Amino acid sequence: MALSARSERNLRGVHPDLVKVVRLAASISTQPFEVIEGLRTAARQAELVKVGASRTLKSRHLTGHAVDLAALVSGTIRWDWPLYRRLAMEVKAAARDLGVAIVWGGDWKTFRDGPHFELARSDYP
């Protein structure tokens, strides 16, 4: 699968290593997806915190170290959790193949975030 023009636009300002992971994942994934957010402004982040969609004003999105991917089924965004488990396996495989350390929000113990992928702070402070 090739990334859509919207996805490519949403990758602007994202760290090049994470862009490589997303592009490779798109090429190998059996789960189609869209990049719905990459780099965010502080105002956008504050808005997301205000509505409960995020819990921090120090998001990795602010520095281009995170993306949110939305699973697609027949071209429509879906939020079914099993789709994100499958997508995460494929994104993690792409990251492993490229030697890029990433973290999936679905692995977090609290406030699990299935669409969220970020570069690991240990390797990308």
Side-chain angles (χ1 to χ4, degrees):
M1 168 188 110
L3 290 173
S4 69
R6 175 186 179 203
S7 288
E8 289 291 346
R9 276 192 311 275
N10 288 337
L11 286 174
R12 288 185 193 142
V14 172
H15 191 286
D17 287 351
L18 188 52
V19 171
K20 288 176 192 173
V21 169
V22 172
R23 287 181 177 152
L24 180 56
S27 74
I28 65 172
S29 183
T30 60
Q31 175 55 62
F33 64 87
E34 185 86 26
V35 180
I36 55 173
E37 283 206 81
L39 183 65
R40 288 185 190 149
T41 64
R44 171 75 175 139
Q45 188 63 34
E47 176 185 314
L48 292 171
V49 170
K50 184 176 180 180
V51 299
S54 180
R55 290 190 179 168
T56 182
L57 293 174
K58 296 180 181 179
S59 171
R60 301 283 280 165
H61 285 280
L62 297 171
T63 58
H65 287 84
V67 293
D68 288 337
L69 308 179
L72 299 173
V73 175
S74 300
T76 301
I77 292 176
R78 298 283 299 268
W79 303 109
D80 314 46
W81 191 254
L83 298 173
Y84 290 88
R85 279 196 200 102
R86 182 176 345 143
L87 180 56
M89 287 189 315
E90 293 170 336
V91 173
K92 288 176 179 182
R96 194 170 39 254
D97 288 351
L98 293 169
V100 175
I102 64 165
V103 173
W104 175 44
D107 288 331
W108 294 339
K109 300 299 179 212
T110 60
F111 198 71
R112 289 182 12 177
D113 188 353
H116 183 89
F117 296 87
E118 65 180 53
L119 294 171
R121 288 179 192 270
S122 58
D123 292 24
Y124 299 87

